[in-house]
Amino acid sequence: MTSPTPDPAGGGSATLPPPVASGLHGCCPRCGARTLFRSFTAFADRCPACGLEFAAFNVGDGPVVFLTLGIGTLVTILALWLEFSLSPPIWVHLLLWPPVTLAMVIGSLRVAKGLLLALEYRNRAREGRIAED
């Protein structure tokens, strides 16, 4: 799962760990060591195994936006299904859906953040710059 000579600049390689491993297991996108997170959703500063600086990557709000939109759509569909099939009182919806939505977003946030950081590393994503003529 690890590369004998990792590419320090990132980029695609068959020997790099799969990006999903970074999300599911917290693997470093360069060497595969499980050192990506220092807490549930906070990245470590660097990988102690290979020295990759995780602080250089900026996943920003991307994972939260995708998760909120996707999970919000799913919860809306489920709430409409529940309403049209069982017609519960409104308080059931108010008690049920906010905690379900929050749990789904927070529960999948670590996976999404790790996946996005690994994809940034693998695709050599950098901040956009305008070339000077």
Side-chain angles (χ1 to χ4, degrees), residues 1-3 6 15-18 21-22 25-36 47 49-50 52 54 121:
M1 181 180 346
T2 60
S3 171
T15 58
L16 290 175
S22 294
H25 306 295
C27 296
C28 171
R30 182 193 290 167
C31 70
R34 293 185 176 195
T35 58
L36 186 59
C47 176
C50 69
L52 179 63
F54 300 136
Y121 174 78

Side-chain angles (χ1 to χ4, degrees), residues 75-116:
V75 167
T76 301
I77 291 168
L78 291 172
L80 288 171
W81 172 80
L82 181 66
E83 179 61 34
F84 292 134
S85 63
L86 300 177
S87 298
I90 191 70
W91 63 266
V92 171
H93 290 291
L94 293 173
L95 288 177
L96 178 64
W97 300 118
V100 167
T101 304
L102 189 63
M104 290 174 72
V105 169
I106 291 174
S108 56
L109 185 58
R110 178 182 171 105
V111 175
K113 285 180 75 170
L115 178 65
L116 191 56

